Amino acid sequence: MSKIVNGASLKPRSGARPKSIVLLLHGYGSSGTDMISLAPQWQDALPDTLFLAPHAPQRCGMMGAGYQWWGLSGFAPAALAAGAASAAPAIDAFIDRKLTEYELTEADLALVGFSQGTMMALHVALRRPRAVAAVVGYSGMLTGTAGLAHADLAKPPVLLVHGTADPVVPIAALHMAESELKRLGVAVTTHISHGVAHSVDPVGLRLGRDFVSDALDRSA
């Protein structure tokens, strides 16, 4: 299993010991250094939160400076499911280490992903032994749900945000994910960003911040 050993982080603005963790999972060819740029915009609402943005364990062959959770060669459902499954153990191990280190539980953890990071956030969150506080997925997809329809499925609340002008992951991916999550009994909220491409606009950032803040408040 590949191990996550580096990345970026932002300590709680309050200066206190973290009461919660937001795990930021970057997209294909990006890095934790890029993804952590979201955190300062959320700190006012989450002053006691530790933001962690690890680099994926693999260097991205297509983009020398970036990382990948797995080698993304296409969007065939079977390939996406296999890729997400292959990368999940590293994220699960990282989560376990950090929850132990800070004496926190899944109820104190939110997963936030972008693109391939959204695929990972959803894959991991639905398979954890206990539900995390929230999942926010930007410009991503839901992969590999076969075999998930069982009574003890972790069902964290999910927010999906997607741009209508996304040329990388079509907006249809949001609708498919929403339908499948509802079928599984997961509470899902969606927001469509009109005219937005493969990125996150200020409205999407604000909605994600509020969704995570509310979820962590509820589970505190």
Side-chain angles (χ1 to χ4, degrees), residues 44-68:
D44 283 345
L46 297 159
D48 296 317
T49 296
L50 170 66
F51 292 87
L52 298 174
H55 302 328
Q58 299 179 17
R59 279 286 182 179
C60 183
M62 298 291 290
M63 304 175 188
Y67 298 83
Q68 63 187 22

Side-chain angles (χ1 to χ4, degrees), residues 31-182:
S31 68
T33 307
D34 289 337
M35 196 69 180
I36 200 67
S37 64
L38 178 153
Q41 302 173 71
W42 289 20
Q43 277 192 306
D44 283 345
L46 297 159
D48 296 317
T49 296
L50 170 66
F51 292 87
L52 298 174
H55 302 328
Q58 299 179 17
R59 279 286 182 179
C60 183
M62 298 291 290
M63 304 175 188
Y67 298 83
Q68 63 187 22
W69 297 104
W70 76 90
L72 193 60
S73 57
F75 286 93
L80 293 176
S86 71
I91 296 175
D92 274 318
F94 182 80
I95 289 172
D96 291 341
R97 291 201 308 274
K98 294 303 177 180
L99 292 181
T100 299
E101 178 180 352
Y102 293 102
E103 299 178 338
L104 298 171
T105 70
E106 277 88 350
D108 309 308
L109 172 69
L111 305 186
V112 179
F114 177 79
S115 195
Q116 193 182 43
T118 291
M119 300 182 209
M120 292 313 311
L122 290 169
H123 182 97
V124 167
L126 293 173
R127 291 166 175 81
R128 294 286 298 177
R130 291 167 294 279
V132 301
V135 179
V136 177
Y138 293 111
S139 305
M141 302 175 72
L142 177 64
T143 67
T145 57
L148 278 183
H150 50 79
D152 57 350
L153 173 71
K155 297 177 181 178
V158 172
L159 170 67
L160 300 175
V161 180
H162 213 119
T164 58
D166 192 330
V168 180
V169 182
I171 185 66
L174 176 143
H175 300 301
M176 293 170 64
E178 179 184 20
S179 176
E180 184 66 6
L181 288 168
K182 286 182 176 178

Side-chain angles (χ1 to χ4, degrees), residues 22 24 38-47 49 51 110 112 134 136 138 159 161 200-217:
V22 170
L24 303 165
L38 178 153
Q41 302 173 71
W42 289 20
Q43 277 192 306
D44 283 345
L46 297 159
T49 296
F51 292 87
V112 179
V136 177
Y138 293 111
L159 170 67
V161 180
V200 185
D201 68 353
V203 174
L205 278 179
R206 176 177 55 78
L207 291 172
R209 177 201 67 195
D210 294 348
F211 190 80
V212 167
S213 178
D214 290 347
L216 289 171
D217 283 346

